[in-house]
Amino acid sequence: MSFDIQDEEFSAVEVTHSPARFSSIIAVAAALLAVVTTALVAPLSAPVGLFGLAGVAAGLFVFESERLTIAGTGIVFVGIVVAGFFGDVPEFLLFASLATIVAFDLGSNAFSVGRQMSDQTDTQRGEAVHVAATVFVGVMAAGLSYGLYIVPWGSLTVPALTLLLLSALFFLWSIRQ
């Protein structure tokens, strides 16, 4: 039985508790996607969305503040609501809502991973699995919501769409707990 002993030099990792870089980048990209999508529907919603995007990016990369990140995603969602008032393209609004939920979840995950590990720890594979699971659950909920929307069931469609999006958000929240 042979043991290969390699002369590897180990160095200490400084624990910074900064948000994880991979999830942070994907969260900002998702928020940017939501802002661009709402700006296509209603250009008047772009300043609100850009303000929220700045909050998400600053919360993750500059100030490392989870509250600022959450507030930024909330403002991006307000931009979606504004776009809903001025534009009537539910497919774009549903897609932007999904991107905002993904940005919120991944931003929160970036802080969670950063608190438990460090930003210098290699966590990309675990974060990639989390990204895939979040997007999968979101796409399934959005697809089901849109399916209910296009089926002509009278006045049930808008509340069903809203409740299914909220249920997807609560489902993601419950997975984290």
Side-chain angles (χ1 to χ4, degrees):
M1 192 164 176
S2 169
F3 293 101
D4 292 331
I5 299 175
Q6 297 175 348
D7 293 330
E8 292 184 34
E9 191 172 312
F10 294 104
S11 62
V13 175
E14 181 182 344
V15 179
T16 59
H17 299 294
S18 297
R21 187 73 71 202
F22 183 74
S23 289
S24 298
I25 291 169
I26 303 296
V28 170
L32 176 65
L33 189 61
V35 170
V36 168
T37 304
T38 55
L40 290 174
V41 172
L44 291 174
S45 68
V48 176
L50 287 173
F51 185 67
L53 177 63
V56 172
L60 286 167
F61 294 109
V62 179
F63 300 112
E64 296 179 354
S65 169
E66 190 169 7
R67 288 182 182 172
L68 181 58
T69 303
I70 291 171
T73 54
I75 294 170
V76 170
F77 184 74
V78 169
I80 295 170
V81 171
V82 169
F85 284 128
F86 294 112
D88 188 24
V89 185
E91 296 85 2
F92 281 85
L93 298 176
L94 182 64
F95 183 73
S97 298
L98 172 62
T100 304
I101 291 170
V102 168
F104 168 77
D105 185 58
L106 295 180
S108 297
N109 184 58
F111 283 101
S112 177
V113 170
R115 273 192 300 271
Q116 295 172 16
M117 308 286 196
S118 174
D119 65 342
Q120 296 178 0
T121 307
D122 185 25
T123 58
Q124 279 188 334
R125 282 198 279 170
E127 291 177 82
V129 169
H130 184 84
V131 169
T134 300
V135 170
F136 176 75
V137 169
V139 166
M140 295 305 291
L144 185 61
S145 299
Y146 187 68
L148 286 176
Y149 175 77
I150 60 173
V151 172
W153 287 346
S155 64
L156 179 67
T157 57
V158 174
L161 180 67
T162 304
L163 290 175
L164 280 172
L165 277 175
L166 286 175
S167 67
L169 179 65
F170 287 129
F171 179 68
L172 289 173
W173 176 74
S174 69
I175 288 174
R176 289 186 39 84
Q177 303 301 324

